[in-house]
Amino acid sequence: MKNYDRIFVIVLDSLGIGAMPDSAKFGDIGVDTFGHILEKMGSLEIPNLRKLGMLNLHPAGKMAGVENPKGRYTHLGEASNGKDTMTGHWEMMGIKTEKPFKTFTETGFPPELIAELEKRCGKRVIGNKSASGTEIIEELGEEEIQTGAMIVYTSADSVLQICGNEETFDLQNLYRCCEIAREITMKDEWRVGRVIARPYIGKKKGEFKRTSNRHDYALKPTGLTTLNVLKDHGFDVIGVGKIHDIFCGEGITETHHSDSSVHGMEQTIEICKRDFRGLCFVNLVDFDALWGHRRNVEGYGKEIEKFDKNLGVLLEEMRENDLLILTADHGNDPTYTGTDHTREYVPFIAYSKRMKNGGAIKDEDTFAVIGASVAENFGVPMPEGTIGHSVLKELM
């Protein structure tokens, strides 16, 4: 059968589907992002995910699977040593990460790092702790505006984040300071996955609001990925949402910044209406950033419902020779303790209008089957040193 002309890989950021055998080593016992959301809420309005087989793959709450699912589905385990955004996405495209990124959740950043950052940026650092981005702006925003200081904070992720008021800090200066922070944190002992610029507006408490001018400064992938070989062989590689930032632009031919996960799906639908040949790779971050980390079960559930509505639109727009793959990069169980990601299996749900039958396929022990399947579809070799094997024949 003829291979697909276009493949859409959509990452529902953090929508895990149950603990892996090694989850306890990561401090995660009995975690299940999707399952626990359904148990708490009872049910969700997700007719499109249901018909593709999401509830056949992972029934929970009052919801069960359908008799004849339209999609092919399975569990994917993570081979890499981690449970973060970059590790998960890189593995999808063939990179196995053995050494996890550094986190500074408990202690904040070392004095030596902060001193170097202050010296090179010309600004005093305030904060330097693990915090919610909106809460730390409320706490320290007025001080930053009045004194010209710089709010630095982290989270349960491997990140160094810098807040800056767009009117008093200046957006380009904020980006400059983040570039300096990225250079400093290339040191092995301070190696964080991402430095993130977090601009905001407002003049006083109660008025502060983060803007969409966020910018991520990620580490470059540690090797070539499926994206590189697709681009090198002349295929389109369209990134939506955080994809460009996660891969530092490596292997990307076109990028679209998203203001929200709903916006990201709207962008994907518009891209689907265009002619292109290759991969459209989408990250929908709000599941994780707005709801998982904040342990908001209802918000997470409603976000899944919003996604499902736009998924229905996308399914209608898809052409006969398109393939859709839905997956996640880790878990973030909103019913679990703390605010960290959770080590979980992730869903793999594939659909094409030309598929004759849906149903389960064999469980896999790496996310890299995604990139390997995309590479085989377009007839390009996986780069040397990558992991994963293709399951394309199961998706025809």
Side-chain angles (χ1 to χ4, degrees):
M1 185 175 283
K2 185 174 179 286
N3 287 0
Y4 296 105
D5 292 331
R6 310 188 303 178
I7 297 180
F8 295 81
V9 175
I10 300 180
V11 181
L12 285 68
D13 199 309
S14 84
L15 192 65
I17 53 171
M20 289 177 55
D22 66 355
S23 292
K25 296 178 183 176
F26 292 80
D28 302 325
I29 299 171
V31 290
D32 184 353
T33 301
F34 183 66
H36 288 159
I37 290 169
L38 278 180
E39 286 174 13
K40 289 287 186 181
M41 298 192 70
S43 64
L44 293 172
E45 287 294 319
I46 50 171
N48 296 296
L49 282 169
R50 280 197 76 186
K51 76 178 182 182
L52 294 186
M54 182 66 171
L55 275 300
N56 296 75
L57 174 64
H58 198 63
K62 299 175 182 176
M63 303 188 74
V66 297
E67 189 172 343
N68 295 302
K70 301 292 185 184
R72 302 279 171 80
Y73 49 85
T74 189
H75 301 78
L76 300 183
E78 185 166 8
S80 295
N81 184 14
K83 53 176 181 176
D84 60 76
T85 298
M86 287 169 57
T87 300
H89 283 76
W90 289 4
E91 183 169 321
M92 288 176 208
M93 295 298 133
I95 293 178
K96 182 179 180 181
T97 301
E98 301 283 5
K99 189 173 184 180
F101 300 114
K102 297 284 187 181
T103 57
F104 296 91
T105 311
E106 302 300 325
T107 60
F109 298 104
E112 298 83 4
L113 187 160
I114 295 298
E116 187 172 347
L117 186 62
E118 288 180 329
K119 179 180 177 181
R120 293 183 57 184
C121 292
K123 281 181 171 286
R124 179 173 64 91
V125 166
I126 56 176
N128 189 25
K129 60 183 179 180
S130 178
S132 154
T134 52
E135 290 175 2
I136 203 163
I137 292 170
E138 282 296 297
E139 178 189 348
L140 298 175
E142 290 182 357
E143 181 180 351
E144 189 232 1
I145 292 168
Q146 291 164 7
T147 66
M150 178 169 67
I151 301 170
V152 174
Y153 70 107
T154 189
S155 71
D157 295 342
S158 177
V159 292
L160 184 154
Q161 303 182 83
I162 303 179
C163 295
N165 187 287
E166 290 196 6
E167 296 174 351
T168 60
F169 197 129
D170 178 65
L171 196 57
Q172 294 309 312
N173 194 27
L174 174 62
Y175 292 161
R176 178 188 70 88
C177 292
C178 287
E179 288 167 5
I180 291 169
R182 175 70 280 174
E183 184 182 337
I184 291 171
T185 54
M186 293 301 289
K187 290 184 178 179
D188 213 39
E189 65 269 30
W190 300 340
R191 186 173 177 261
V192 296
R194 286 173 293 156
V195 171
I196 306 177
R198 291 286 197 175
Y200 66 97
I201 55 174
K203 292 182 170 58
K204 61 183 181 180
K205 288 182 180 180
E207 295 180 356
F208 295 134
K209 183 179 179 182
R210 294 201 295 196
T211 75
S212 61
N213 290 320
R214 162 183 171 160
H215 189 69
D216 290 38
Y217 299 81
L219 292 171
K220 282 191 175 183
T222 52
L224 297 178
T225 70
T226 309
L227 307 183
N228 295 104
V229 291
L230 287 174
K231 180 180 178 181
D232 290 347
H233 284 79
F235 292 98
D236 296 305
V237 183
I238 303 171
V240 178
K242 293 198 307 180
I243 296 299
H244 182 279
D245 292 336
I246 292 166
F247 289 89
C248 279
E250 293 285 306
I252 308 293
T253 63
E254 177 183 329
T255 190
H256 297 264
H257 169 79
S258 303
D259 295 333
S260 67
S261 289
V262 170
H263 183 219
M265 279 300 290
E266 291 169 348
Q267 291 170 308
T268 305
I269 291 163
E270 289 305 308
I271 291 166
C272 189
K273 296 176 182 178
R274 294 168 25 194
D275 290 331
F276 72 92
R277 181 163 168 75
L279 173 67
C280 179
F281 196 6
V282 182
N283 173 274
L284 304 176
V285 72
D286 287 353
F287 302 97
D288 186 53
L290 295 186
W291 315 118
H293 284 304
R294 298 179 187 180
R295 296 301 186 246
N296 186 326
V297 176
E298 185 177 355
Y300 205 134
K302 289 186 181 302
E303 194 71 49
I304 297 171
E305 292 180 333
K306 291 177 192 175
F307 166 76
D308 191 270
K309 189 173 292 187
N310 273 321
L311 174 61
V313 179
L314 179 63
L315 293 175
E316 288 295 319
E317 290 292 340
M318 283 176 62
R319 301 173 184 176
E320 195 74 16
N321 221 34
D322 289 344
L323 175 67
L324 171 67
I325 297 173
L326 303 178
T327 192
D329 51 346
H330 49 73
N332 199 343
D333 188 339
T335 71
Y336 202 56
T337 57
T339 60
D340 198 359
H341 294 153
T342 44
R343 174 85 166 178
E344 297 184 44
Y345 288 107
V346 302
F348 175 94
I349 301 175
Y351 170 75
S352 173
K353 288 183 175 179
R354 77 181 206 201
M355 279 183 179
K356 290 185 173 63
N357 298 297
I361 61 176
K362 184 173 76 72
D363 288 349
E364 300 288 349
D365 59 5
T366 174
F367 302 172
V369 296
I370 296 172
S373 301
V374 171
E376 184 185 11
N377 181 78
F378 293 112
V380 299
M382 285 295 288
E384 186 176 346
T386 52
I387 64 169
H389 60 274
S390 174
V391 295
L392 184 64
K393 67 180 186 300
E394 304 282 358
L395 312 180
M396 292 295 190

